[in-house]
Amino acid sequence: MAHTCIHWFRKGLRLHDNPALMAALRDCKELYPVFILDPHLYNTQVGLNRWRFLIGALKDLDCSLRKLNSRLFVLRGKPEDVFPKLFNKWKVTRLTYEYDTEPYSLSRDKTVTTLAKEQGISVIYKISHTLYDIDRLIEENDGKPPLTYNRLRELAKKLGPPKKPIPAPTFEDMKDIKTPCPEKHEKKYRIPTLEELDLDTTSLGEELFPGGEQEALRRLDEHMKRAGWVCSFEKPQTSPNSLSPSTTVLSPYVTFGCLSARTFWWRLAEVYQGKKHSDPPVSLHGQLLWREFFYTASVGIPNFNKMEGNSACTQVDWDTNPEYLAAWREARTGYPFIDAIMTQLRQEGWMHHLARHAVACFLTRGDLWISWEEGQKVFEELLLDGDWALNAGNWQWLSASTFFHQFFRVYSPVAFGKKTDKYGDYIKKYLPCLKKFPAEYIYEPWKAPRSVQQAAGCIVGKDYPHPIVKHEQVHKKNIQRMKEAYARRSPAQSPVKKQGVKRSAPSIIDMFQKKMKKE
């Protein structure tokens, strides 16, 4: 039987390594590639940079499909409302999609699958957003999510290397398949502009990271040519405040699925072949395994993106302080390193992983004592690579709520940045009001004599805020509060100490600590 197929793009905005798309092409006479702007996922809570990245990725995907005599059909609405109409209109007999592990996605997909099956439509999904089948990793661990990175590595090793990626469909694969598209459909199903989505684009800056599969593969090729850099890459040794990124910035492309994680993995394996190279957790393979670790935790731990009802998470009596939260979000804390990072986030939609460490620690256990859930919301809105599982997992880690338990180690909002940018060039780039401050005061402008502030054309308290808290005092008080929260934990939540395991190499924590100042 020749099928009329819808391939439903959600994440996985690519043609390469897309097994669900290839499944749609088997015994297919008509193909409708569909993307739905679901109001649950794409709404006013989504930042402008993220919207721009998505629209760029959709345009790129449409362009690639048109080269195969197909196109992308973009619709707006709830999938459960949109699909029944399409099923009838196009006389669909098969629906394919890439498996997604997020709670909302699982419930959405269950609803749509039920609607499809009620109409006699066969449904096929394939796993390609992660390196492994996440449920299988949990199964291998006696039905429980691994709560340490090393345990995840052991499980991955047991399963063997990730599956090899499959090639993109070719003209040959598509030669007998039609995508009916009358002239009237051209406008009805086209990709909307940001303006048509009622988004105010006046504040948008330069697009440093354009969305799309072609850009993702170009950037991957560019980085893979730097074999020496790839082989020696150690995440904790990269700089959080370099003027141009010190890492690959491939994360947004992996998040939206413009780049397959498996393609990234195997391209790295080719570069590593026969050469001495860094290892997980700090290597580039290690970064992909961190992603897998948080995905596995997010599937295995109910209420993963919340403190309450999350069995792995320490219950902390965080403060509710809208003024502090707004100052942090809007880069008005009075600590230039923190404010520069938050400015970069708002302007560009990205900042270095260790910069994320600094601002997350500052908001939560370090200085402001505000819940990690509030920080999670801000990152979800503004980050190009805002990923449900990774965002929730990293916020729990950095607030020392889950996974990481050395709450007495606090990032200094002054000393940490100085280690890699003594003269404050990063601060001057993102906070131009401070650019004339001499290096000795750039991280602590409030300490500058009035005459220095006047000469710099920036008076603290008028042109730039005073620090909203005194780090030297509050972080000590917060360590005490964290100690009390830990004392209230149930024995089941206490960090597990492995007996008799000799560590021959420094752990990820040890490496991060090289970059931290113990106050």
Side-chain angles (χ1 to χ4, degrees):
M1 175 188 169
H3 286 277
T4 297
C5 303
I6 286 179
H7 176 70
W8 181 14
F9 284 100
R10 301 93 68 84
K11 296 170 187 170
L13 300 178
R14 63 177 184 272
L15 299 189
H16 77 275
D17 194 29
N18 195 331
L21 175 61
M22 293 308 277
L25 303 184
R26 274 197 298 277
D27 306 318
C28 174
K29 59 176 179 176
E30 289 184 353
L31 174 71
Y32 292 92
V34 163
F35 183 88
I36 298 172
L37 286 164
D38 178 348
H40 180 89
L41 298 174
Y42 301 106
N43 48 44
T44 50
Q45 302 309 118
V46 176
L48 264 182
N49 281 308
R50 199 171 163 88
W51 266 115
R52 177 167 65 177
F53 190 96
L54 171 70
I55 297 300
L58 295 179
K59 282 181 181 171
D60 179 82
L61 184 58
D62 183 51
C63 184
S64 297
L65 287 166
R66 284 176 189 269
K67 286 174 186 167
L68 299 173
N69 281 341
S70 188
R71 62 156 292 174
L72 187 64
F73 294 79
V74 178
L75 299 100
R76 293 191 225 181
K78 294 177 182 172
E80 61 268 31
D81 297 336
V82 171
F83 273 119
K85 295 170 191 165
L86 296 184
F87 292 158
N88 288 325
K89 187 173 184 177
W90 293 338
K91 299 185 173 42
V92 174
T93 59
R94 181 193 282 159
L95 171 69
T96 63
Y97 62 82
E98 177 185 70
Y99 186 65
D100 189 341
T101 55
E102 290 182 25
Y104 167 73
S105 307
L106 289 169
S107 116
R108 170 200 66 195
D109 295 350
K110 190 177 175 187
T111 304
V112 170
T113 297
T114 303
L115 290 169
K117 289 188 171 170
E118 280 168 3
Q119 296 203 26
I121 295 165
S122 65
V123 179
I124 299 171
Y125 66 79
K126 300 284 184 182
I127 292 165
S128 53
H129 188 62
T130 47
L131 295 174
Y132 295 94
D133 175 344
I134 299 298
D135 294 319
R136 178 86 197 280
L137 284 167
I138 292 172
E139 253 171 58
E140 287 288 335
N141 199 46
D142 301 325
K144 298 189 294 278
L147 293 181
T148 67
Y149 182 83
N150 283 342
R151 181 63 188 145
L152 182 278
R153 275 189 74 192
E154 286 165 16
L155 295 168
K157 208 169 182 179
K158 200 171 164 187
L159 293 180
K163 282 184 182 173
K164 292 215 167 174
I166 62 170
T170 62
F171 201 76
E172 185 63 22
D173 294 321
M174 298 282 287
K175 72 175 192 303
D176 298 322
I177 300 170
K178 291 183 173 59
T179 296
C181 188
E183 200 61 43
K184 59 180 180 183
H185 281 184
E186 205 50 60
K187 194 172 181 186
K188 186 176 180 182
Y189 297 114
R190 69 187 175 81
I191 299 162
T193 63
L194 293 173
E195 289 73 19
E196 284 165 348
L197 292 164
D198 296 325
L199 296 166
D200 179 7
T201 57
T202 49
S203 64
L204 272 177
E206 183 192 350
E207 189 170 21
L208 299 175
F209 315 111
E213 179 181 19
Q214 297 315 307
E215 180 67 14
L217 294 172
R218 185 192 70 74
R219 285 172 177 261
L220 179 66
D221 286 342
E222 205 173 73
H223 287 299
M224 293 308 103
K225 283 174 193 161
R226 303 162 65 199
W229 181 81
V230 168
C231 289
S232 61
F233 182 94
E234 292 191 0
K235 187 69 163 276
Q237 304 310 319
T238 56
S239 169
N241 45 8
S242 53
L243 296 187
S244 59
S246 59
T247 55
T248 66
V249 197
L250 285 169
S251 53
Y253 299 93
V254 176
T255 297
F256 279 85
C258 302
L259 175 63
S260 147
R262 298 192 298 211
T263 297
F264 193 1
W265 177 277
W266 284 102
R267 286 292 298 277
L268 287 167
E270 284 169 25
V271 176
Y272 290 159
Q273 190 68 40
K275 300 184 190 79
K276 189 184 174 201
H277 59 84
S278 55
D279 288 311
V282 296
S283 64
L284 285 166
H285 263 178
Q287 303 317 299
L288 288 169
L289 287 173
W290 275 113
R291 178 175 182 265
E292 219 72 4
F293 171 69
F294 286 126
Y295 264 79
T296 308
S298 77
V299 171
I301 300 169
N303 302 306
F304 187 63
N305 65 332
K306 297 180 174 66
M307 177 178 79
E308 286 184 23
N310 177 339
S311 60
C313 185
T314 303
Q315 305 298 298
V316 179
D317 60 339
W318 302 110
D319 292 340
T320 301
N321 192 321
E323 289 81 16
Y324 278 7
L325 178 60
W328 176 82
R329 188 178 60 237
E330 293 158 21
R332 294 186 284 103
T333 67
Y335 284 94
F337 181 53
I338 300 298
D339 293 341
I341 295 168
M342 294 304 288
T343 302
Q344 183 184 19
L345 170 61
R346 190 164 290 279
Q347 285 178 6
E348 300 173 9
W350 183 87
M351 74 280 215
H352 187 281
H353 188 67
L354 294 177
R356 302 176 197 203
H357 279 226
V359 295
C361 182
F362 187 88
L363 179 73
T364 57
R365 63 190 174 86
D367 295 79
L368 303 186
W369 201 255
I370 289 171
S371 169
W372 58 268
E373 288 181 49
E374 295 298 335
Q376 177 183 238
K377 286 177 204 162
V378 174
F379 275 22
E380 193 175 336
E381 176 196 347
L382 298 176
L383 276 173
L384 291 176
D385 59 13
D387 176 303
W388 188 84
L390 273 67
N391 196 23
N394 275 302
W395 273 101
Q396 286 173 76
W397 182 295
L398 295 166
S399 61
S401 298
T402 318
F403 311 118
F404 174 75
H405 306 288
Q406 296 179 355
F407 59 82
F408 46 86
R409 296 207 172 268
V410 174
Y411 286 91
S412 161
V414 174
F416 184 47
K418 278 184 183 176
K419 290 180 183 183
T420 43
D421 181 22
K422 193 163 69 172
Y423 300 106
D425 293 333
Y426 174 81
I427 290 169
K428 291 171 186 176
K429 178 179 177 178
Y430 291 103
L431 302 177
C433 64
L434 297 175
K435 69 181 176 195
K436 290 185 181 169
F437 268 83
E440 62 185 299
Y441 297 117
I442 190 81
Y443 284 88
E444 301 170 283
W446 63 90
K447 288 187 176 176
R450 182 83 178 183
S451 58
V452 171
Q453 295 182 34
Q454 283 171 331
C458 178
I459 305 296
V460 174
K462 178 176 165 235
D463 306 304
Y464 181 73
H466 281 293
I468 51 173
V469 291
K470 288 186 176 170
H471 174 72
E472 301 76 22
Q473 293 168 13
V474 294
H475 90 275
K476 288 175 184 164
K477 180 183 154 201
N478 289 346
I479 286 172
Q480 197 49 45
R481 288 178 84 172
M482 209 66 189
K483 203 172 178 180
E484 288 160 14
Y486 267 61
R488 292 192 296 269
R489 288 164 24 132
S490 67
Q493 282 184 312
S494 296
V496 180
K497 287 186 179 172
K498 280 194 179 178
Q499 299 299 315
V501 178
K502 189 179 177 188
R503 270 209 323 235
S504 57
S507 72
I508 189 83
I509 306 305
D510 299 329
M511 292 190 163
F512 281 140
Q513 281 163 12
K514 286 182 188 174
K515 293 229 165 224
M516 288 160 99
K517 182 168 192 265
K518 187 179 175 186
E519 294 293 347

